[in-house]
Amino acid sequence: MITLDLKGSKPIYEQIIEQMKYNVMKGYLKPGDLIPSVRKMAMDLQVTPGTVSKAYQELERQEIIETIRGKGTFIAHEIKMEENSKKLEEIKKQMFSPVMELKMMGYSKEMVVQFVENIYKEMGVC
């Protein structure tokens, strides 16, 4: 369900968040599905429970998951897909360097847009 790149520059907890969101988006995880406890996920991924806990806290803050005391942690029944201008600005800043590199490599605007369209297709969202 989750594969980590331990040598990459992206923090592990961010990788967990990203992959959980991807699994929800693809329908691999559905609203109401039970997900592993922090301890179980940490053992499965061979990371510290604190790392998984940090990821789960952020996913809960974003209302992707919900914890029910005594029952476990579940994919939220209603996942809100809403605009977030602060997050959008952050993403735009992160995209600047790769887009600039593609332009410097000779790729046209149309080709860059095609790359993004291909990514959408790979995610299964057109």
Side-chain angles (χ1 to χ4, degrees):
M1 183 162 87
I2 292 179
T3 305
L4 300 176
D5 178 6
L6 301 176
K7 295 181 181 178
S9 62
K10 185 176 278 194
I12 293 170
Y13 82 96
E14 287 182 8
Q15 292 180 49
I16 295 169
I17 293 168
E18 186 175 275
Q19 290 190 42
M20 290 289 283
K21 286 180 173 181
Y22 179 79
N23 287 328
V24 169
M25 183 189 65
K26 290 294 281 184
Y28 302 142
L29 291 172
K30 296 178 179 16
D33 282 355
L34 178 67
I35 61 173
S37 68
V38 168
R39 186 177 305 216
K40 172 93 170 82
M41 179 73 81
M43 284 184 356
D44 291 348
L45 298 176
Q46 298 181 342
V47 298
T48 66
T51 300
V52 175
S53 179
K54 187 173 183 177
Y56 277 25
Q57 286 172 4
E58 180 58 23
L59 287 164
E60 196 152 7
R61 189 190 68 72
Q62 293 180 23
E63 300 180 4
I64 305 294
I65 64 173
E66 55 192 1
T67 301
I68 301 171
R69 263 201 153 77
K71 293 193 176 189
T73 304
F74 301 85
I75 300 301
H77 284 286
E78 282 189 47
I79 298 173
K80 298 176 184 168
M81 304 285 249
E82 57 187 39
E83 290 186 29
N84 179 333
S85 58
K86 183 178 177 184
K87 183 73 172 172
L88 179 60
E89 287 306 312
E90 181 183 317
I91 292 169
K92 283 181 183 178
K93 286 179 186 174
Q94 291 173 355
M95 290 178 67
F96 183 85
S97 182
V99 171
M100 180 184 67
E101 288 298 323
L102 289 168
K103 181 165 177 44
M104 295 299 292
M105 292 168 58
Y107 291 98
S108 68
K109 174 184 167 184
E110 291 75 21
M111 292 171 89
V112 173
V113 169
Q114 185 63 51
F115 292 154
V116 173
E117 288 175 353
N118 289 341
I119 291 169
Y120 260 73
K121 286 177 186 172
E122 287 174 19
M123 289 189 298
V125 289
C126 296

